[in-house]
Amino acid sequence: MRHPTAYCTCWPGATVWLTGLPSSGTSAIAEELVRRLVPERRRVEVLGGGENRAPLTADLGSGREDRIAGVRRIGLVAETLARNGILALVPVIAPQADAGTAVRRRHERSGTPFLEVHVTTPAEVCTEREVKGPYTRGQATGNLTGPTGPTGADDPYEPPHTPDLAIPAHRQRPEESAALLLGLLKERGLA
Amino acid sequence: MRHPTAYCTCWPGATVWLTGLPSSGTSAIAEELVRRLVPERRRVEVLGGGENRAPLTADLGSGREDRIAGVRRIGLVAETLARNGILALVPVIAPQADAGTAVRRRHERSGTPFLEVHVTTPAEVCTEREVKGPYTRGQATGNLTGPTGPTGADDPYEPPHTPDLAIPAHRQRPEESAALLLGLLKERGLA
């Protein structure tokens, strides 16, 4: 059964797929956007890593196949949320651009908005942050753990082919990056 | 961050955990309730089996541990949906009552309503239905497949210890069973 897409006076749901290298700042942007939207009574959920998500991905290792399986599971949950009017923010280090494409297709099949955002912090900046330790709480509880965590050395990160937005998170504060993302959501009628 | 629980004029979310033997009628009740609630613009999602959920559980077999892992994954998705204002209906054949208890605790931790409903169709009726084949479309696409599917012969079904409601689905039509469940939801302020 196809469910109606508009309820009450809420905004439509959407998935924002925030992809970048480990420590690129994806989680910090997601958490900053939550801080902006929750006071507006917007339903929003960050699907990061962390212990609370253990049942979903605890069985997965860091190998390529396991990482792709994790991306697909998180993508399914995001699509289910977004199809039901929730803004699902997903900080993810997709090991292969194709993994993101499969998630995009799942959204297209159900007519659910899907935005792919590339956080373009360069590798040298990310490495420096990792040496210094997690640079924000969001990062520590977000994409540094679990199967959406660091890409293995033998499995290089592939940036998305055609992102809806590229955010140079290394040149600005998370607040500014979140504002950029909020601008895209407003432009698309999703916030 | 704790999100507000009331948005717009929507109802609060909740998870309805519909447990019973294979072919007991859990999926048919869930689908009937959807038919009742969708015209009222209620956000509702049935988390049954079926191909569309493959990324979530396709790696799991029919052994006890795998089945419990499947229950916990589905429980996590249900809690995430329900916490965000959606009515999540989960037809499930929990192999052990404890698996349902873990899911209930997850809901309690986030202050999300969780109702456990025991569909009490007796084994002999279920077996007869299975011999004749799936007796409704809901059953065919619901809990006859995947890790929420049939309990293995060496892993007997345990009914829930303290269900919120027991539905004798073998004595009435799915419409009547769904009306009983809707009554419980209204009584609890969830519909």
Side-chain angles (χ1 to χ4, degrees):
Chain A
M1 184 183 295
R2 188 66 175 277
H3 295 192
T5 52
Y7 294 80
C8 310
T9 58
C10 303
W11 292 101
T15 291
V16 178
W17 197 249
L18 282 152
T19 178
L21 288 166
S23 295
S24 59
T26 54
S27 291
I29 296 169
E31 300 218 347
E32 183 55 37
L33 194 61
V34 169
R35 273 189 284 277
R36 292 278 298 263
L37 291 175
V38 164
E40 297 180 22
R41 304 173 76 78
R42 179 68 193 263
R43 290 187 201 272
V44 55
E45 179 81 22
V46 180
L47 294 173
E51 271 188 33
N52 196 37
R53 306 258 166 232
L56 203 58
T57 47
D59 60 307
L60 299 172
S62 59
R64 183 171 180 277
E65 290 306 314
D66 274 14
R67 293 176 47 76
I68 289 175
V71 165
R72 288 171 58 96
R73 287 185 203 167
I74 294 283
L76 182 151
V77 178
E79 186 268 333
T80 308
L81 289 166
R83 181 161 41 79
N84 281 286
I86 295 154
L87 183 64
L89 307 176
V90 193
V92 69
I93 300 147
Q96 302 284 325
D98 286 353
T101 304
V103 176
R104 180 189 286 273
R105 279 209 203 99
R106 167 173 281 272
H107 284 73
E108 284 171 354
R109 281 199 299 272
S110 66
T112 306
F114 178 85
L115 301 177
E116 197 165 25
V117 174
H118 183 203
V119 178
T120 61
T121 310
E124 54 272 25
V125 178
C126 296
T127 306
E128 196 180 328
R129 286 174 176 173
E130 277 166 49
V131 171
K132 289 182 182 171
Y135 70 106
T136 70
R137 196 190 63 79
Q139 203 68 9
T141 58
N143 61 9
L144 284 178
T145 56
T148 56
T151 301
D154 57 342
D155 189 18
Y157 170 74
E158 281 183 17
H161 303 308
T162 51
D164 296 275
L165 178 67
I167 298 183
H170 54 300
R171 297 205 198 112
Q172 58 196 15
R173 290 178 299 123
E175 293 84 341
E176 293 165 299
S177 296
L180 211 57
L181 176 50
L182 191 56
L184 173 68
L185 288 167
K186 285 184 191 294
E187 188 189 302
R188 302 282 176 97
L190 301 171
Chain B
M1 182 182 297
R2 188 68 175 276
H3 295 191
T5 51
Y7 294 80
C8 311
T9 57
C10 303
W11 292 102
T15 291
V16 178
W17 197 250
L18 283 153
T19 177
L21 288 166
S23 296
S24 59
T26 54
S27 292
I29 296 170
E31 301 219 346
E32 183 55 37
L33 194 62
V34 168
R35 271 188 287 276
R36 292 278 297 263
L37 291 174
V38 164
E40 297 179 21
R41 303 174 76 77
R42 179 69 193 264
R43 290 186 200 276
V44 56
E45 180 82 21
V46 179
L47 294 173
E51 270 189 35
N52 196 37
R53 306 256 167 234
L56 202 57
T57 47
D59 60 309
L60 298 173
S62 59
R64 185 172 179 275
E65 291 307 313
D66 274 15
R67 292 176 48 77
I68 289 176
V71 166
R72 289 170 58 93
R73 287 186 203 166
I74 294 282
L76 182 151
V77 177
E79 186 268 332
T80 308
L81 288 166
R83 181 162 41 79
N84 281 287
I86 294 154
L87 184 64
L89 307 177
V90 192
V92 69
I93 300 147
Q96 302 288 322
D98 288 354
T101 305
V103 175
R104 181 189 285 273
R105 283 210 200 97
R106 165 173 282 273
H107 284 73
E108 284 170 355
R109 282 198 299 274
S110 66
T112 307
F114 178 85
L115 301 178
E116 198 164 28
V117 175
H118 184 201
V119 178
T120 62
T121 310
E124 55 271 25
V125 179
C126 296
T127 306
E128 197 181 327
R129 285 175 177 172
E130 276 166 49
V131 170
K132 288 182 182 169
Y135 70 105
T136 71
R137 196 189 64 79
Q139 203 68 6
T141 59
N143 62 8
L144 284 178
T145 57
T148 55
T151 301
D154 56 344
D155 187 18
Y157 170 74
E158 282 182 18
H161 302 309
T162 52
D164 296 275
L165 178 68
I167 297 182
H170 53 301
R171 294 205 202 113
Q172 57 196 16
R173 289 177 300 124
E175 292 84 340
E176 291 165 299
S177 296
L180 211 56
L181 176 50
L182 190 57
L184 174 68
L185 288 166
K186 284 184 191 293
E187 188 190 302
R188 302 282 177 99
L190 301 170

